[in-house]
């Protein structure tokens, strides 16, 4: 498969060498950088380009894009601040970082919002031109922090980025506002030089993005080079920094975000199964990118359909599955509410349907651009009647690829809806991902019933309890399916009370049997001890980092991470009993906590955060230390 995006890809055997400089070089094992500015300052592009370059250099990395929900918040205000955080190193990086080592603040509002997170003696790089009276007032500053000594505990670098960008482009035919917008590439150039990153990746991206508008391509190219050479020639920088590549197993890697991985997973599913994948969706943040991404793979057997609403999207996906394709619909937050009745229909009709829910902060519109894990109980229980479905969850951007394949595999094998949970953090965040060989992926076998002998739509596979999947129009296999209860033996409509109970119990048993497909639970650390940290979804990185650091201090702590949420892993109960205490960090008020307590009668302890932001490893590490005392 050839990715449709221009995300960086590189092999570990062939890494481009950055330029060397006469400045003193300090070697670091990891760095955390946060780019912050107005929502129109291009911070997401700046962060993405630094990320793609870092991926090509060979560092491990994790990112956290963070932007306002408003399409265009008032310029210069706190509500309009957009940021992008990148953590990279020469070793395994689990999270986007707890505290930035470097803060790039393009205006006073960005400084106001993010300064509290910058570590003491951290590098603070500012666009001094933006610190005028008007912007300072909008941000709530009484004076200019660049001049009043209040930033003395940081390494402050005041660079007139706007002025230098305009001087660089003074002979460009672009209007003044367009020239001003190039300042993000000037800032990017400075950072690329400071951390010995090559410009080639960003220069290639500029040509690809603006190639049809030569004046824009030229302006951004010149701004990038000007920033790079400013860093090289300005006397304010006495030190540059080097972070060596991470030693990886040989292979081809690319930088991938969770939504990209979901889309590529759908392409893989089509190739593995030999069936068309039909994605029907209604645009909603942060799920929309899956639809956008998949639409770029039209040369494969995948089809995208933008429906008029969430209900129509789910209905179209069910129709595709009825016709013999693999139907899928994507959504976020409120959209899952609207799809609930359709999921019940697919459950009752016993058709494979995949629903990808990229969770966001709620309720209602809530925090549409922020992350949360608050849809778990809704995914498992949020339908009328006894309507059990399979629920699984991805743990990282790269894992979204494999869990997408797993969702389709389970849906087709058990003829049931499967809900795949990701969230805004891993959907928009990125990490290096080793592109698998297609031959290493397990085939996704789908068997359609074609033999009319002794056919009944109520026949069930003895291992999975799945009914036969029949394409409409198959001779001799005409049958009725729908939302009304059917007879267990014939498939005909039935209102018999005892039959209804039998069907309810059969559908529950079918979901329960999915546990036989759940792999053994992996334990990080000892199999017995004082404390077990249990996670699911996007808490994976923060938990891993916290447990690794805590074990290095000699604390008796282990962790497990659950990917199959309903049914839960069959060996989980035995694992829980081997530890004195159980800690469950979640970006909600304790939803997995409730399930664990109810099912296993374990007095688990919750660590809960509902701020629209992922956990910091330090937050979990502090709780581990408290419980291990």
């Amino acid at each position: 498969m050839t990715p449709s995006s221009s995300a960086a890809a590189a092999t570990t055997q062939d890494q481009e060498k950055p330029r060397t400089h006469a400045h003193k070089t300090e070697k670091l094992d990891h760095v955390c950088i946060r780019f912050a500015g107005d929502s129109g300052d291009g911070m997401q592009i700046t962060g993405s380009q630094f990320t793609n370059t870092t991926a090509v250099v060979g560092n491990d990395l994790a990112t956290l894009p963070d932007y306002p929900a408003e399409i265009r918040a008032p310029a210069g205000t706190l509500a309009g601040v957009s940021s992008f955080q990148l953590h990279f190193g020469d070793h395994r990086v689990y999270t986007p970082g707890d505290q930035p080592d470097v803060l790039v603040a393009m205006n006073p509002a960005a400084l106001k919002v993010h300064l509290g997170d910058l570590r003491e003696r951290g590098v603070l790089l500012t666009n001094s031109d933006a610190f005028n009276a008007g912007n300072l007032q909008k941000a709530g500053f009484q004076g200019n922090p660049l001049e009043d000594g209040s930033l003395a505990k940081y390494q402050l670098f005041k660079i007139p980025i706007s002025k230098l960008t305009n001087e660089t482009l003074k002979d460009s035919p672009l209007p003044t506002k367009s020239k001003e917008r190039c300042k993000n590439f000037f800032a990017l150039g400075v950072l690329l030089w400071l951390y010995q990153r090559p410009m080639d990746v960003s220069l290639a991206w500029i040509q690809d993005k603006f190639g049809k508008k030569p004046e824009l391509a030229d302006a951004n190219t010149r701004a990038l080079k000007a920033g790079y050479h400013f860093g090289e020639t300005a006397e304010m920088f006495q030190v540059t920094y080097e972070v060596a590549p991470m030693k990886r197993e040989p292979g081809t890697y690319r930088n991938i975000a969770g939504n990209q991985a979901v889309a590529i997973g759908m392409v893989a599913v089509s190739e593995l199964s030999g069936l068309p994948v039909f994605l029907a969706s209604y645009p909603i943040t942060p799920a929309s990118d899956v639809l956008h991404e998949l639409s770029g793979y039209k040369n494969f057997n995948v089809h995208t359909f933008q429906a008029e609403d969430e209900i129509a999207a789910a209905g179209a996906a069910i129709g595709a599955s009825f016709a013999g394709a693999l139907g899928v619909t994507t959504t976020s937050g409120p959209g899952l509410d609207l799809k609930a009745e359709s999921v019940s229909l697919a459950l009752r009709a016993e058709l494979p349907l995949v629903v990808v829910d990229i969770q966001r902060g709620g309720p209602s519109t809530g925090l549409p651009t922020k992350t949360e894990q608050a849809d778990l109980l809704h995914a498992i229980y949020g339908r009328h009647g006894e309507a059990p479905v399979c629920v699984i969850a991805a743990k990282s951007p790269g894992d979204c690829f494999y869990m997408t394949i797993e969702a389709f595999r389970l849906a087709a094998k058990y003829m049931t809806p499967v809900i795949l949970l990701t969230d805004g953090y891993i959907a928009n965040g990125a990490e290096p991902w080793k592109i698998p060989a297609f031959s290493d992926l397990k085939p996704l076998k789908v068997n359609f019933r074609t033999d009319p002998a002794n056919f009944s739509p109520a026949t069930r596979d003895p291992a999975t309890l799945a009914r036969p999947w029949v394409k409409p129009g198959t001779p001799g296999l005409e049958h009725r399916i729908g939302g009304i209860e059917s007879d267990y033996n014939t498939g005909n409509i039935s209102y018999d009370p005892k039959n209804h109970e039998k069907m309810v119990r059969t559908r529950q048993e079918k979901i329960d049997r999915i546990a036989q497909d759940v792999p053994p639970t992996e334990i990080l650390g000892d199999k017995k001890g004082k404390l077990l940290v249990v996670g699911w979804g996007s808490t994976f990185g923060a938990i891993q980092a916290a447990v690794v650091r805590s074990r290095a201090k000699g604390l008796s702590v282990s962790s497990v991470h659950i990917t199959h949420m309903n049914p839960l892993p069959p060996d989980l109960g035995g694992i829980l009993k081997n530890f004195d205490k159980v800690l469950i960090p979640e970006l909600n008020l304790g939803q997995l906590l409730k399930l664990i307590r109810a099912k296993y009668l374990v007095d688990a302890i919750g660590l809960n955060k509902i701020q629209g932001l992922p956990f910091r490893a330090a937050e979990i590490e502090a709780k581990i230390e408290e419980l291990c005392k």
Side-chain angles (χ1 to χ4, degrees):
M1 292 179 294
T2 301
S4 64
S5 70
S6 59
T11 62
T12 53
Q13 298 95 338
D14 184 22
Q15 297 293 350
E16 183 179 356
K17 300 296 184 182
R19 292 180 59 182
T20 58
H21 305 281
H23 297 74
K24 177 183 176 183
T25 298
E26 181 179 340
K27 293 186 177 182
L28 304 173
D29 59 2
H30 72 101
V31 176
C32 179
I33 300 175
R34 185 181 298 177
F35 299 91
D38 191 74
S39 56
D41 284 342
M43 292 297 95
Q44 302 304 319
I45 291 176
T46 307
S48 295
Q49 289 310 304
F50 196 96
T51 298
N52 289 342
T53 300
T54 296
V56 168
V57 168
N59 299 120
D60 199 30
L61 61 90
T63 67
L64 176 62
D66 189 18
Y67 47 90
E70 292 82 359
I71 294 175
R72 182 68 182 180
T77 64
L78 302 183
V81 173
S82 176
S83 69
F84 189 106
Q85 183 162 307
L86 164 69
H87 184 200
F88 61 99
D90 62 4
H91 56 277
R92 179 73 169 91
V93 170
Y94 292 105
T95 74
D98 288 353
Q99 285 185 289
D101 303 296
V102 181
L103 173 62
V104 178
M106 297 295 284
N107 66 1
L111 181 67
K112 186 87 167 186
V113 171
H114 294 289
L115 182 62
D117 291 336
L118 182 63
R119 68 169 177 83
E120 191 169 338
R121 297 304 301 157
V123 172
L124 176 57
L125 193 153
T126 63
N127 176 19
S128 57
D129 293 327
F131 284 73
N132 54 47
N135 285 338
L136 290 168
Q137 184 179 15
K138 289 178 185 177
F141 284 109
Q142 299 301 314
N144 189 342
L146 304 187
E147 309 295 342
D148 63 11
S150 61
L151 303 176
K153 65 179 181 179
Y154 307 106
Q155 300 180 59
L156 175 63
F157 296 96
K158 299 179 287 186
I159 305 176
I161 295 176
S162 296
K163 178 182 177 181
L164 292 172
T165 302
N166 285 323
E167 287 181 357
T168 300
L169 304 178
K170 61 184 178 181
D171 59 345
S172 170
L174 292 175
T176 303
K177 285 188 177 180
S178 296
K179 294 177 183 178
E180 172 73 12
R181 292 193 184 102
C182 297
K183 64 181 181 291
N184 64 319
F185 277 97
F186 187 99
L188 175 62
V190 174
L191 267 294
L192 289 176
W193 174 82
L194 192 60
Y195 286 92
Q196 300 193 18
R197 317 272 103 175
M199 287 188 286
D200 300 30
V201 174
S202 295
L203 291 172
W205 182 88
I206 290 171
Q207 291 303 317
D208 182 63
K209 179 72 173 177
F210 303 112
K212 295 181 179 179
K213 297 180 179 180
E215 65 280 2
L216 282 176
D218 177 68
N220 284 298
T221 296
R222 289 165 62 185
L224 177 69
K225 291 181 177 180
Y228 190 92
H229 295 306
F230 173 84
E232 193 170 36
T233 57
E235 296 182 359
M236 66 172 63
F237 295 108
Q238 303 302 317
V239 180
T240 60
Y241 303 94
E242 178 185 348
V243 181
M246 176 185 176
K247 293 181 180 179
R248 300 182 184 276
E249 60 178 291
T252 301
Y253 291 78
R254 63 161 287 175
N255 191 39
I256 198 166
N259 279 345
Q260 291 175 323
V262 169
I264 297 173
M266 292 179 187
V267 177
V269 165
S270 178
E271 294 294 302
L272 291 168
S273 66
L275 295 177
V277 169
F278 181 84
L279 169 61
S281 290
Y282 178 76
I284 185 171
T285 302
S288 300
D289 284 343
V290 178
L291 183 63
H292 301 158
E293 183 76 16
L294 192 66
S295 67
Y297 290 90
K298 291 184 173 64
N299 52 323
F300 292 93
N301 196 14
V302 294
H303 309 272
T304 54
F305 170 63
Q306 181 174 319
E308 64 267 31
D309 56 45
E310 295 281 3
I311 299 172
I318 293 172
S321 292
F322 174 70
L326 292 169
V328 54
T329 184
T330 53
T331 191
S332 297
L336 188 62
D337 301 345
L338 295 168
K339 295 183 190 294
E341 183 179 2
S342 299
V343 174
S344 291
L345 172 60
L347 167 73
R348 170 59 203 91
E350 299 190 63
L351 286 168
L353 172 70
V354 172
V355 180
V356 184
D357 175 26
I358 294 100
Q359 301 165 95
R360 71 187 205 186
S364 188
T365 305
L367 302 173
T369 61
K370 310 298 181 181
T371 197
E372 207 163 88
Q373 289 183 297
D375 294 353
L376 177 60
L377 292 181
H378 178 44
I380 296 176
Y381 297 115
R383 288 161 298 281
H384 61 284
E386 291 287 346
V389 300
C390 177
V391 180
I392 62 177
K395 63 185 180 183
S396 68
D399 189 49
C400 288
F401 172 82
Y402 295 101
M403 294 308 288
T404 297
I405 297 175
E406 176 74 349
F408 280 96
R409 185 183 70 83
L410 293 174
K413 181 175 181 178
Y414 288 87
M415 293 293 285
T416 185
V418 175
I419 297 177
L420 168 60
L421 298 175
T422 75
D423 61 38
Y425 168 37
I426 57 177
N428 295 320
E431 66 179 356
W433 177 64
K434 184 181 178 182
I435 301 174
F438 186 77
S439 58
D440 291 339
L441 301 175
K442 293 182 180 179
L444 201 162
K445 297 180 180 179
V446 176
N447 297 313
F448 291 99
R449 177 69 183 263
T450 57
D451 183 7
N454 302 315
F455 169 72
S456 168
T459 303
R460 297 189 178 276
D461 182 288
T464 64
L465 297 181
R467 76 167 186 87
W469 195 0
V470 180
K471 292 183 181 180
T474 305
L477 298 182
E478 296 82 1
H479 64 286
R480 177 195 297 120
I481 60 173
I484 302 177
E485 188 64 278
S486 64
D487 182 77
Y488 180 85
N489 296 309
T490 67
N492 296 327
I493 292 174
S494 172
Y495 294 98
D496 179 76
K498 291 185 178 180
N499 175 77
H500 174 59
E501 180 164 342
K502 187 171 185 177
M503 288 297 291
V504 168
R505 293 185 181 277
T506 298
R507 288 189 287 266
Q508 181 63 59
E509 174 64 18
K510 181 166 67 168
I511 299 302
D512 292 342
R513 290 194 184 188
I514 293 176
Q516 64 193 359
D517 278 66
V518 178
T521 302
E522 295 183 3
I523 303 176
L524 171 63
D526 303 318
K527 295 182 179 180
K528 294 184 179 181
K530 283 187 176 182
L531 178 64
L532 179 70
V533 184
V534 179
W536 71 276
S538 66
T539 58
F540 173 75
I543 290 174
Q544 292 286 103
V547 170
V548 168
R549 288 178 349 202
S550 298
R551 289 181 59 81
K553 297 176 183 177
L555 299 179
S556 176
V557 57
S558 303
S559 70
V560 297
H561 206 80
I562 304 172
T563 55
H564 293 73
M565 313 306 299
N566 190 45
L568 288 165
D571 59 355
L572 182 59
I575 294 173
L576 295 172
K577 293 178 181 178
N578 289 329
F579 292 85
D580 297 338
K581 297 177 182 178
V582 175
L583 172 66
I584 305 179
E586 296 182 83
L587 300 177
N588 57 45
L589 288 176
Q591 297 190 15
L592 178 61
L593 181 70
K594 291 182 175 66
L595 296 175
I596 295 295
R597 283 177 168 176
K599 184 174 179 64
Y600 302 107
L601 302 180
V602 172
D603 189 18
I605 300 162
L607 176 61
N608 307 105
K609 181 176 181 178
I610 319 98
Q611 300 174 10
L613 296 169
F615 274 109
R616 295 178 176 182
E619 294 170 329
I620 299 175
E621 187 178 3
K623 190 66 177 179
I624 290 173
E625 290 187 12
E626 175 190 329
L627 294 176
C628 283
K629 287 181 179 178

